[in-house]
Every structure is written in C-alpha cells, then in structure tokens.
Amino acid sequence: MPDQGEPFDEMWWVKRKLREENLAFPLPGTLALRKEAEQALAAARRARSEDDVRAILTEINEKIVEGHRKAMSGPPLTLMPYDIEEFLAEWRASRPPEPEPAEPEPEPPAPRRRPLFRFFMKSRRER
C-alpha cells in the first residue's frame, strides 16, 4: 500500500492527486504574488536588454500595487514595488562591458581607368 508507515494526513488524497497531475499546491494570494515576484526578478536578471528588464519589472510592480489595493488571502503583503532604475544599475554592473565596434577597414582605392574619349582619340591618331 502506498504511503504505509507515513503519519496520517487529512489532505492525503489532495496531495496525491496534485502529485499525480504534476500540479502545485495552491498558495494563498499574497504568497503566490511573492513567488511570482521572485520569478520575475530572476527573469529580469537573465534578460538580454534594458527594455526587457523594464517590461518585466513594470508588470510585476503593477501586480504588487494591485495586491496592496485589494484584500488578498494569506499573510500580509510586505512587498513593495521595485525601483527599476536601481535594478537596472545593478543589472548593467553585472554585465561585461560591450566591446566597442571596430572601425571598418578602409576600402582599397579603385583602379584608375582611362577616360573612354582618350581611347577613341588615340585610335584615331593611329589610323
């Protein structure tokens, strides 16, 4: 029998169903928002451009502000919106400096061509 020898748990059937369906246990609203904020910060640290960082942090900041406006289940929401400019300064510092673009090599001068009318003038003289 599965779970034999385990301590009794009233929610055993819920936990088993969640495990079988590969689902997460539903978190209260404030804890879910905290988890989403942690994931957003991790995504912002991996972002490739400043625009991506701004978009990620703006979205989570809106959700945090909305969480403070309405009553959410769970422990009190202690999150504050993130300072985007401060985060960007840290993000820039963690990136290696971008190499300056190399100056293009000068093109070799084109071979000098004789004007076409000189060719005709020369051939007329030879006739």
Side-chain angles (χ1 to χ4, degrees), residues 52-71:
D52 293 342
V53 172
R54 286 182 193 280
I56 292 168
L57 293 181
T58 300
E59 182 180 343
I60 196 64
N61 281 347
E62 290 171 358
K63 290 180 180 183
I64 291 171
V65 169
E66 185 63 27
H68 283 287
R69 285 189 187 142
K70 63 181 183 179

Side-chain angles (χ1 to χ4, degrees), residues 9 21-22 25-26 38-39 52 54-55 57 65 81 103 115 125:
D9 185 7
E21 299 292 329
N22 290 327
F25 195 73
E38 288 175 9
Q39 292 169 346
D52 293 342
R54 286 182 193 280
L57 293 181
V65 169
E103 293 184 22
R125 285 186 210 151

